[in-house]
Amino acid sequence: MNSLIIGGCALEIAFMSQTRAKIYQPAKTAMQSGKAKDFWLLEYVAVIPATPEPLMGWNTQGDTREQIKLKFETKEQAVAYAKAKNIAYEILQPHIRKTPPKAYAANFANGRRRAYDQGA
């Protein structure tokens, strides 16, 4: 297999031709209370593992594509982009959040299992 040296890192040419990406809908952050994550991301997956740089010991990355995140309005647009650019992709389906219906009156029900003074 042929090797190519870029910036002190030996890259396998076969790795450079393999472009993989994942298409997913990101989860909301801890600071958000709504459910409005209505966009999809295409994020490249690292094909070449990070190697420590000999002088300082920092991790070097030969492939900078994993730093790129492309934002799309729909999943179909992201898939169309990946097909147009010949990118092997994996679609990660979003997790559907299930919240049971609750009523405020349930805090004061007779069949309540915990006492009111225990920080309910």
Side-chain angles (χ1 to χ4, degrees):
M1 190 176 291
N2 296 333
S3 294
L4 176 67
I5 298 180
I6 298 175
C9 297
L11 305 176
E12 301 296 333
I13 293 176
F15 281 135
M16 293 179 70
S17 64
Q18 298 174 357
T19 304
R20 292 184 295 152
K22 61 181 178 179
I23 298 171
Y24 65 97
Q25 195 171 23
K28 68 180 185 75
T29 64
M31 299 301 292
Q32 295 173 330
S33 61
K35 299 179 187 176
K37 284 288 188 176
D38 55 350
F39 60 90
W40 289 78
L41 288 177
L42 184 138
E43 183 177 327
Y44 290 98
V45 178
V47 178
I48 303 168
T51 56
E53 190 256 335
L55 180 63
M56 299 296 288
W58 297 337
N59 283 338
T60 60
Q61 198 61 333
D63 186 13
T64 58
R65 288 180 292 187
E66 73 177 77
Q67 299 172 6
I68 299 172
K69 292 183 182 181
L70 299 174
K71 191 177 190 180
F72 296 94
E73 291 183 11
T74 63
K75 176 174 62 171
E76 290 76 22
Q77 289 176 342
V79 170
Y81 177 84
K83 286 182 180 178
K85 300 293 183 182
N86 292 328
I87 300 170
Y89 62 91
E90 176 186 6
I91 298 174
L92 304 174
Q93 296 297 330
H95 298 286
I96 306 297
R97 190 173 170 192
K98 296 178 184 175
T99 55
K102 295 181 183 178
Y104 180 70
N107 291 332
F108 306 104
N110 289 336
R112 186 176 160 96
R113 294 185 183 185
R114 288 188 276 171
Y116 292 108
D117 61 344
Q118 291 183 351

